[in-house]
Protein backbone atom coordinates (compact mmCIF):
# COMPACT_ATOMS: atom_id res chain seq x y z
CA UNK A 1 0.00 0.00 0.00
CA UNK A 2 1.60 3.26 -1.14
CA UNK A 3 0.90 6.20 1.16
CA UNK A 4 2.35 9.63 1.77
CA UNK A 5 4.58 10.19 4.81
CA UNK A 6 6.37 13.04 6.53
CA UNK A 7 9.88 12.53 7.89
CA UNK A 8 10.49 13.94 11.36
CA UNK A 9 12.97 12.97 14.10
CA UNK A 10 13.73 9.67 12.41
CA UNK A 11 10.11 8.59 11.89
CA UNK A 12 8.05 8.48 8.71
CA UNK A 13 4.74 9.78 9.98
CA UNK A 14 1.63 8.96 7.95
CA UNK A 15 -0.09 11.90 6.27
CA UNK A 16 -3.80 12.45 5.73
CA UNK A 17 -7.11 13.34 7.33
CA UNK A 18 -8.38 11.11 10.11
CA UNK A 19 -10.94 9.63 7.78
CA UNK A 20 -8.26 8.80 5.19
CA UNK A 21 -5.90 7.40 7.83
CA UNK A 22 -8.64 5.27 9.34
CA UNK A 23 -9.52 3.84 5.93
CA UNK A 24 -5.85 3.00 5.19
CA UNK A 25 -5.27 1.29 8.52
CA UNK A 26 -8.41 -0.81 8.24
CA UNK A 27 -7.58 -1.74 4.64
CA UNK A 28 -4.28 -3.19 5.89
CA UNK A 29 -6.33 -6.08 7.31
CA UNK A 30 -6.45 -7.66 3.86
CA UNK A 31 -2.77 -7.13 3.07
CA UNK A 32 0.23 -9.24 4.11
CA UNK A 33 0.89 -8.86 7.82
CA UNK A 34 2.24 -5.55 9.04
CA UNK A 35 2.08 -3.57 12.24
CA UNK A 36 1.31 0.01 13.18
CA UNK A 37 3.19 1.97 15.85
CA UNK A 38 1.97 5.19 17.44
CA UNK A 39 5.01 7.29 18.40
CA UNK A 40 4.73 10.01 21.01
CA UNK A 41 7.45 12.06 22.71
CA UNK A 42 8.41 9.20 25.03
CA UNK A 43 8.75 6.69 22.19
CA UNK A 44 10.79 9.07 20.05
CA UNK A 45 13.18 9.56 22.96
CA UNK A 46 13.46 5.82 23.55
CA UNK A 47 14.23 5.16 19.91
CA UNK A 48 17.01 7.74 19.98
CA UNK A 49 18.85 6.05 22.85
CA UNK A 50 18.15 2.34 22.20
CA UNK A 51 19.07 0.71 18.90
CA UNK A 52 16.88 -2.35 19.56
CA UNK A 53 13.81 -0.20 20.10
CA UNK A 54 14.72 1.86 17.05
CA UNK A 55 14.72 -1.33 14.98
CA UNK A 56 11.27 -2.31 16.30
CA UNK A 57 9.82 1.00 15.13
CA UNK A 58 11.69 0.88 11.84
CA UNK A 59 10.15 -2.54 11.21
CA UNK A 60 6.62 -1.16 11.42
CA UNK A 61 4.61 -0.65 8.26
CA UNK A 62 3.06 2.59 9.53
CA UNK A 63 4.15 5.29 11.97
CA UNK A 64 1.06 7.14 13.20
CA UNK A 65 1.68 10.35 15.13
CA UNK A 66 0.14 10.01 18.60
CA UNK A 67 1.23 13.34 20.08
CA UNK A 68 0.00 16.90 19.68
CA UNK A 69 3.30 18.00 21.25
CA UNK A 70 5.14 16.46 18.30
CA UNK A 71 2.95 18.41 15.89
CA UNK A 72 3.83 21.66 17.70
CA UNK A 73 7.52 20.83 17.64
CA UNK A 74 7.36 19.96 13.95
CA UNK A 75 5.88 23.37 13.17
CA UNK A 76 9.08 24.99 14.46
CA UNK A 77 10.82 23.20 11.58
CA UNK A 78 8.05 24.16 9.13
CA UNK A 79 6.86 20.54 9.03
CA UNK A 80 3.16 19.64 9.19
CA UNK A 81 2.30 16.42 11.01
CA UNK A 82 -1.13 14.81 11.03
CA UNK A 83 -1.95 13.56 14.53
CA UNK A 84 -4.31 10.65 15.15
CA UNK A 85 -3.84 9.33 18.72
CA UNK A 86 -4.12 5.59 19.14
CA UNK A 87 -6.86 6.07 21.73
CA UNK A 88 -8.98 7.93 19.18
CA UNK A 89 -8.20 5.36 16.50
CA UNK A 90 -9.39 2.44 18.63
CA UNK A 91 -12.47 4.35 19.81
CA UNK A 92 -13.35 5.06 16.16
CA UNK A 93 -12.87 1.41 15.20
CA UNK A 94 -15.09 0.04 17.94
CA UNK A 95 -17.57 2.88 17.65
CA UNK A 96 -18.08 1.91 14.00
CA UNK A 97 -18.90 -1.66 14.93
CA UNK A 98 -15.41 -2.85 14.03
CA UNK A 99 -15.64 -1.44 10.48
CA UNK A 100 -16.52 -4.88 9.13
CA UNK A 101 -13.44 -6.53 10.68
CA UNK A 102 -12.91 -9.39 13.08
CA UNK A 103 -10.87 -7.94 15.93
CA UNK A 104 -8.63 -9.71 18.43
CA UNK A 105 -7.24 -8.04 21.53
CA UNK A 106 -4.15 -8.81 23.60
CA UNK A 107 -3.63 -7.19 26.99
CA UNK A 108 -6.86 -6.72 28.97
CA UNK A 109 -7.47 -8.75 32.11
CA UNK A 110 -10.77 -10.60 32.61
CA UNK A 111 -12.51 -7.66 34.26
CA UNK A 112 -11.51 -5.17 31.59
CA UNK A 113 -12.42 -7.63 28.85
CA UNK A 114 -15.92 -8.05 30.25
CA UNK A 115 -16.30 -4.26 30.44
CA UNK A 116 -15.15 -3.91 26.83
CA UNK A 117 -17.53 -6.55 25.50
CA UNK A 118 -20.40 -5.05 27.48
CA UNK A 119 -19.73 -1.63 25.99
CA UNK A 120 -19.40 -2.91 22.40
CA UNK A 121 -21.66 -5.96 22.16
CA UNK A 122 -22.07 -5.47 18.39
CA UNK A 123 -18.33 -5.75 17.65
CA UNK A 124 -16.90 -9.21 16.80
CA UNK A 125 -14.17 -9.29 19.45
CA UNK A 126 -11.85 -12.13 20.40
CA UNK A 127 -9.60 -12.13 23.46
CA UNK A 128 -6.08 -13.54 23.18
CA UNK A 129 -5.44 -14.30 26.89
CA UNK A 130 -2.17 -13.02 28.29
CA UNK A 131 -0.83 -13.38 31.84
CA UNK A 132 -0.33 -10.20 33.92
CA UNK A 133 3.43 -10.68 33.77
CA UNK A 134 4.71 -11.96 30.44
CA UNK A 135 8.43 -11.66 29.72
CA UNK A 136 9.46 -11.69 26.05
CA UNK A 137 10.89 -15.07 25.17
CA UNK A 138 9.31 -16.90 28.13
CA UNK A 139 7.09 -19.96 27.59
CA UNK A 140 4.03 -17.82 28.41
CA UNK A 141 5.13 -15.31 25.80
CA UNK A 142 5.68 -17.96 23.15
CA UNK A 143 2.26 -19.51 23.77
CA UNK A 144 0.51 -16.15 23.57
CA UNK A 145 2.36 -15.18 20.39
CA UNK A 146 1.53 -18.51 18.76
CA UNK A 147 -2.16 -18.21 19.68
CA UNK A 148 -2.32 -14.67 18.33
CA UNK A 149 -0.53 -15.62 15.11
CA UNK A 150 -2.92 -18.49 14.44
CA UNK A 151 -6.17 -16.79 15.43
CA UNK A 152 -8.80 -15.57 12.95
CA UNK A 153 -8.73 -11.77 12.85
CA UNK A 154 -8.21 -8.89 10.47
CA UNK A 155 -7.06 -6.41 13.11
CA UNK A 156 -5.10 -7.30 16.24
CA UNK A 157 -5.10 -4.68 19.00
CA UNK A 158 -1.95 -5.10 21.11
CA UNK A 159 -2.26 -3.30 24.44
CA UNK A 160 0.88 -4.33 26.32
CA UNK A 161 2.77 -1.05 26.60
CA UNK A 162 5.88 -0.12 24.67
CA UNK A 163 8.24 -1.64 23.67
CA UNK A 164 6.67 -4.98 24.68
CA UNK A 165 3.76 -4.53 22.28
CA UNK A 166 6.07 -3.81 19.34
CA UNK A 167 8.13 -6.90 20.20
CA UNK A 168 4.91 -8.89 20.32
CA UNK A 169 3.81 -7.58 16.91
CA UNK A 170 7.17 -8.47 15.39
CA UNK A 171 7.00 -11.97 16.88
CA UNK A 172 3.47 -12.49 15.54
CA UNK A 173 4.65 -11.40 12.11
CA UNK A 174 7.38 -14.03 12.16
CA UNK A 175 4.74 -16.78 12.55
CA UNK A 176 1.64 -15.50 10.80
CA UNK A 177 0.88 -16.63 7.27
CA UNK A 178 -2.57 -15.02 6.96
CA UNK A 179 -3.27 -11.36 6.09
CA UNK A 180 -3.89 -8.95 8.93
CA UNK A 181 -2.60 -5.89 10.71
CA UNK A 182 -1.55 -5.36 14.32
CA UNK A 183 -2.11 -1.98 15.92
CA UNK A 184 0.20 -1.27 18.87
CA UNK A 185 -2.12 0.96 20.89
CA UNK A 186 -0.97 0.89 24.53
CA UNK A 187 -3.56 2.06 27.04
CA UNK A 188 -6.33 2.67 24.51
CA UNK A 189 -8.53 -0.09 25.91
CA UNK A 190 -8.03 1.25 29.45
CA UNK A 191 -9.69 4.52 28.45
CA UNK A 192 -12.66 2.70 26.92
CA UNK A 193 -13.22 0.40 29.91
CA UNK A 194 -12.83 3.18 32.46
CA UNK A 195 -9.62 1.86 34.03
CA UNK A 196 -8.04 5.19 33.10
CA UNK A 197 -9.76 8.53 32.59
CA UNK A 198 -8.78 10.53 29.56
CA UNK A 199 -8.31 14.28 29.70
CA UNK A 200 -11.34 16.47 28.87
CA UNK A 201 -11.55 17.63 25.26
CA UNK A 202 -10.59 21.21 26.12
CA UNK A 203 -7.37 19.96 27.73
CA UNK A 204 -6.57 17.94 24.59
CA UNK A 205 -7.28 20.97 22.43
CA UNK A 206 -4.65 22.91 24.41
CA UNK A 207 -2.15 20.07 23.82
CA UNK A 208 -1.96 19.46 27.59
CA UNK A 209 -3.14 15.85 27.81
CA UNK A 210 0.30 14.86 29.07
CA UNK A 211 -0.18 17.13 32.12
CA UNK A 212 -3.54 15.51 32.88
CA UNK A 213 -1.95 12.05 32.73
CA UNK A 214 0.91 13.19 34.97
CA UNK A 215 -1.52 14.58 37.55
CA UNK A 216 -3.57 11.36 37.41
CA UNK A 217 -0.57 9.09 38.09
CA UNK A 218 2.43 11.15 39.24
CA UNK A 219 4.25 8.26 40.94
CA UNK A 220 4.47 6.28 37.69
CA UNK A 221 4.79 9.09 35.17
CA UNK A 222 6.81 11.88 36.77
CA UNK A 223 10.12 10.67 35.40
CA UNK A 224 8.73 10.12 31.89
CA UNK A 225 7.28 13.59 31.59
CA UNK A 226 9.58 15.74 33.74
CA UNK A 227 13.00 14.11 33.26
CA UNK A 228 13.01 12.05 30.07
CA UNK A 229 10.46 14.02 28.04
CA UNK A 230 12.44 17.28 27.77
CA UNK A 231 15.34 15.36 26.23
CA UNK A 232 13.47 15.53 22.93
CA UNK A 233 14.46 19.18 22.69
CA UNK A 234 18.04 18.06 22.00
CA UNK A 235 16.82 15.83 19.20
CA UNK A 236 14.84 18.73 17.78
CA UNK A 237 17.86 21.03 17.92
CA UNK A 238 19.97 18.49 16.03
CA UNK A 239 17.35 17.71 13.40
Amino acid sequence: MMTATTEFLGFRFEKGSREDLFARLVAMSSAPFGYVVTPNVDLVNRAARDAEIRALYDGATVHLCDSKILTVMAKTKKIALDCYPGSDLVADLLGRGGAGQRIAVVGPDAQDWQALVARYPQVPLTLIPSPPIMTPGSPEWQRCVAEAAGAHWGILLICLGSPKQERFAQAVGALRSEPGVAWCVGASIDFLTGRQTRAPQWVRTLHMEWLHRLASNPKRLWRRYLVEGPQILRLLARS
Side-chain angles (χ1 to χ4, degrees), residues 57-217:
Y57 298 144
D58 287 345
T61 309
V62 169
H63 297 164
L64 190 66
C65 180
D66 187 78
S67 169
K68 293 287 184 66
I69 299 299
L70 287 179
T71 66
V72 172
M73 295 177 66
K75 286 181 180 178
T76 68
K77 298 290 185 177
K78 302 187 185 306
I79 296 173
L81 293 186
D82 295 313
C83 181
Y84 195 177
S87 298
D88 291 345
L89 173 65
V90 174
D92 288 345
L93 176 68
L94 300 184
R96 300 184 189 194
Q101 301 297 320
R102 295 188 64 86
I103 300 165
V105 188
V106 177
D109 62 20
Q111 182 177 353
D112 286 339
W113 174 250
Q114 291 171 3
L116 186 69
V117 171
R119 180 168 180 180
Y120 299 101
Q122 78 284 11
V123 181
L125 293 168
T126 299
L127 177 65
I128 308 295
S130 59
I133 299 176
M134 187 172 63
T135 304
S138 67
E140 296 82 7
W141 172 272
Q142 300 291 2
R143 283 195 293 269
C144 190
V145 167
E147 182 173 352
H152 181 48
W153 46 262
I155 297 175
L156 174 66
L157 304 180
I158 310 179
C159 310
L160 297 175
S162 186
K164 182 181 288 186
Q165 60 193 12
E166 289 82 12
R167 290 193 177 102
F168 193 92
Q170 191 176 68
V172 168
L175 297 180
R176 188 168 177 84
S177 58
E178 299 297 319
V181 59
W183 295 358
C184 300
V185 287
S188 298
I189 297 298
D190 289 349
F191 295 124
L192 297 177
T193 61
R195 179 177 287 273
Q196 295 190 47
T197 302
R198 197 167 179 196
Q201 184 59 53
W202 68 269
V203 175
R204 286 180 257 165
T205 301
L206 293 174
H207 309 329
M208 298 295 286
E209 188 168 9
W210 68 271
L211 185 59
H212 178 273
R213 293 197 69 188
L214 175 60
S216 300
N217 197 341

Side-chain angles (χ1 to χ4, degrees), residues 6-9 13 39-42 44-45 65 67-81 83 207 210 228-239:
T6 300
E7 298 287 335
F8 183 59
L9 297 181
F13 290 105
N40 55 23
V41 169
D42 183 51
V44 171
N45 277 331
C65 180
S67 169
K68 293 287 184 66
I69 299 299
L70 287 179
T71 66
V72 172
M73 295 177 66
K75 286 181 180 178
T76 68
K77 298 290 185 177
K78 302 187 185 306
I79 296 173
L81 293 186
C83 181
H207 309 329
W210 68 271
E228 297 171 350
Q231 295 175 15
I232 199 170
L233 297 176
R234 289 187 297 175
L235 300 179
L236 182 67
R238 295 201 303 262
S239 67

